[in-house]
Amino acid sequence: MKYLRWYCAALAFLCAGAWAGYPRVGDDDLAAGPQHRLATILIAGYLSTYHYKKVPFNDALSAELLKRYVETLDPNRSYFLQQDLQTFSVYRDRLDEALREGELGPAFEIFKVFRRRLDERMSYAKALLRQPFDFGVEEDYVIDRSKAPWPANRTELDELWRKRVKNDVLELRVAGKDPPEITTTLTDRYAGLVQQT
């Protein structure tokens, strides 16, 4: 199923590439251009005609594409909520037809939600940097969440990010950075995540 991983990465790349061409005014402006539609039709045609496995575009492929596309965007399950996944489920049986026809609307809609969640998380992370952390409290932070359940709600997501930011701060403290330097470093790091996507 390497072709699915490649195809999902291509979808994410197409959406991110389209995003990069837009001024930072809002997610509503993000839409597929003719070049994205053509690339999608060519990729779908290649997979179904020339790939050695002759990939059948059907509902099973559609469901797998949706799953892998979401995981490609958020592999550590730290942006999307369970309710987002429920919303995306309307595309479970429709992605195959949409992609074969070069219709990237579903992929772009999912990407828009990802961008909103990313912006929300980075704003929240930066706000947390303005508050002191209690390092005397014993708690766990799971770095690899790829097998964890998606956060059920914003409260769970906020707690996940509180622990993540606290962990980031602690790592820099252990490395000998002083508080102003930690804040600057992490603010730049979080801003960089938004700019890269």
Side-chain angles (χ1 to χ4, degrees), residues 8 17 66 68 82 108 127 166 196:
C8 291
L66 175 63
R68 292 197 183 209
Q82 284 180 10
F108 275 74
K166 182 178 180 180
Q196 291 173 2

Side-chain angles (χ1 to χ4, degrees), residues 81 83 121 124 151-163:
L81 299 168
Q83 71 184 35
R121 291 299 98 202
Y124 183 69
N153 51 46
R154 286 189 191 274
T155 303
E156 278 187 26
L157 195 57
D158 285 349
E159 180 62 7
L160 170 72
W161 275 87
R162 183 192 66 76
K163 289 180 178 180

Side-chain angles (χ1 to χ4, degrees), residues 6-177:
W6 182 83
Y7 197 78
C8 291
L11 277 177
F13 177 76
L14 286 171
C15 291
W19 177 266
Y22 285 91
R24 193 78 167 108
V25 293
D27 292 326
D28 293 335
D29 296 327
L30 182 63
Q35 72 277 21
H36 304 114
R37 289 188 179 93
L38 178 60
T40 301
I41 290 169
L42 290 173
I43 292 167
Y46 172 80
L47 288 175
S48 61
T49 307
Y50 299 110
H51 193 275
Y52 75 94
K53 281 196 167 191
K54 302 283 192 243
V55 179
F57 273 69
N58 55 27
D59 289 348
L61 176 73
S62 184
E64 189 64 23
L65 273 172
L66 175 63
K67 175 182 173 281
R68 292 197 183 209
Y69 180 54
V70 168
E71 289 172 352
T72 298
L73 291 173
D74 187 8
N76 213 32
R77 300 182 180 205
S78 8
Y79 297 101
F80 289 130
L81 299 168
Q82 284 180 10
Q83 71 184 35
D84 295 327
L85 280 286
Q86 290 168 349
T87 301
F88 302 155
S89 69
V90 300
Y91 302 125
R92 182 171 283 116
D93 298 332
R94 296 178 14 207
L95 272 183
D96 56 325
E97 293 102 10
L99 295 174
R100 201 172 33 237
E101 295 167 11
E103 175 51 50
L104 287 168
F108 275 74
E109 289 306 313
I110 293 168
F111 190 76
K112 287 178 190 180
V113 173
F114 171 72
R115 285 296 309 203
R116 280 194 300 274
R117 295 286 182 247
L118 175 66
D119 288 344
E120 290 168 4
R121 291 299 98 202
M122 293 309 103
S123 294
Y124 183 69
K126 289 176 190 176
L128 286 172
L129 290 174
R130 295 189 289 272
Q131 302 171 11
F133 288 102
D134 181 359
F135 293 104
V137 175
E138 187 175 330
E139 54 188 356
D140 296 327
Y141 170 64
V142 178
I143 293 172
D144 180 5
R145 292 187 34 55
S146 59
K147 303 293 184 217
W150 300 92
N153 51 46
R154 286 189 191 274
T155 303
E156 278 187 26
L157 195 57
D158 285 349
E159 180 62 7
L160 170 72
W161 275 87
R162 183 192 66 76
K163 289 180 178 180
R164 177 177 174 168
V165 173
K166 182 178 180 180
N167 183 67
D168 291 346
V169 170
L170 184 59
E171 284 179 355
L172 292 174
R173 279 182 61 175
V174 169
K177 307 275 186 193

